[in-house]
Amino acid sequence: MNKGLLIIISGPSGVGKGTIRSFLMNDELLKLVYSISMTTRTPREGEVNGKDYIFTSKEKFEQAIGQGELLEWAEFVGNYYGTPLSVVEDLRNQGKNVLLEIEVQGAMQVREKCPDALSIFIIPPNMEELEKRIRGRHSEAEEIVQQRLAKAAGEMKMIKDYKYVVCNDDPQLAADMIALIIKRHMLNDIQE
Ligand code: 5GP
């Protein structure tokens, strides 16, 4: 059995990665499993521990870093986020394609460790739209919104390190384009 693909999706906060991911997860042909990250961030309303994230303390997160349990990790607007290594490896060895939804620093670490990872960056149609989407979430204080917007501008500069860039003007269309990219890679149809 072939080892599953490792797929990285990045993009600024508010770009719609979550919505696109849910469309992708519904496509059984993609054989996707979402890698649930660990974070020290407080859950947003409706977020479920063990489904959206593994919510944990700073101490436990630092312990996981120290014990080499993370494939990658990063600090993002005051909180830690990271990908548990053993889960990703086990799933890929079972032939499943593993989807990581991570920010740019973490993506860089994954690309270094797994050069065969397929990386996709999602951009908003424009920065005004991004701000509207972040504010529309009503989940963060103004200070955090400002920090996320400033971070977004920096993240957009990392586009060049990704293999594909997809614009999210319409989430279903963006998901369809990403699904096509994944399917082509599953067929081993893409020459590196
Ligand atoms: P949020 O707080 O909006 O859920 O996530 C903030 C940022 O952290 C997003 O860009 C998200 O993709 C990223 N993120 C989520 N999980 C991980 C992870 O495991 N590692 C890294 N490096 N970034 C993550």
Side-chain angles (χ1 to χ4, degrees):
M1 184 196 298
N2 284 343
K3 196 171 171 179
L5 300 172
L6 185 56
I7 303 155
I8 305 170
I9 291 194
S10 297
S13 186
V15 79
K17 287 169 291 188
T19 312
I20 292 173
R21 188 219 313 161
S22 56
F23 285 130
L24 292 172
M25 297 306 296
N26 284 337
D27 186 341
E28 284 175 15
L29 295 177
L30 297 176
K31 289 197 215 149
L32 277 184
V33 181
Y34 176 60
S35 159
I36 301 165
S37 299
M38 277 176 78
T39 185
T40 59
R41 161 164 89 55
T42 323
R44 292 192 187 117
E45 209 181 306
E47 282 183 333
V48 177
N49 189 26
K51 179 171 169 272
D52 299 290
Y53 279 108
I54 300 159
F55 294 99
T56 190
S57 65
K58 196 164 178 259
E59 292 67 35
K60 288 212 174 113
F61 196 101
E62 286 172 350
Q63 208 177 335
I65 298 173
Q67 291 175 352
E69 290 170 10
L70 300 178
L71 168 63
E72 61 73 37
W73 64 275
E75 207 174 336
F76 184 92
V77 191
N79 285 299
Y80 286 134
Y81 295 81
T83 303
L85 175 63
S86 60
V87 183
V88 171
E89 276 309 296
D90 290 350
L91 289 167
R92 288 188 72 196
N93 288 333
Q94 290 165 31
K96 307 248 172 62
N97 298 322
V98 179
L99 180 66
L100 308 182
E101 190 193 303
I102 60 178
E103 53 68 69
V104 295
Q105 302 300 325
M108 207 185 322
Q109 296 166 42
V110 177
R111 274 193 301 261
E112 272 165 23
K113 288 185 191 164
C114 314
D116 60 337
L118 166 59
S119 63
I120 303 165
F121 194 95
I122 303 174
I123 55 168
N126 54 62
M127 294 310 269
E128 290 73 31
E129 177 62 25
L130 187 74
E131 178 163 356
K132 212 163 85 190
R133 290 184 196 169
I134 295 182
R135 290 191 185 284
R137 211 152 58 181
H138 300 300
S139 60
E140 273 118 5
E142 180 58 26
E143 191 193 342
I144 303 288
V145 170
Q146 290 300 336
Q147 287 176 20
R148 282 181 178 256
L149 284 169
K151 191 95 184 165
E155 288 189 309
M156 296 286 282
K157 295 192 182 124
M158 310 291 281
I159 289 177
K160 60 179 185 340
D161 297 330
Y162 287 74
K163 189 163 173 65
Y164 299 98
V165 177
V166 171
C167 177
N168 182 18
D169 219 340
D170 173 86
Q172 181 68 69
L173 186 58
D176 288 348
M177 285 194 275
I178 294 173
L180 184 61
I181 292 169
I182 296 172
K183 283 172 188 164
R184 292 290 300 272
H185 277 263
M186 285 168 76
L187 289 171
N188 230 341
D189 215 8
I190 306 275
Q191 300 300 315
E192 296 299 330

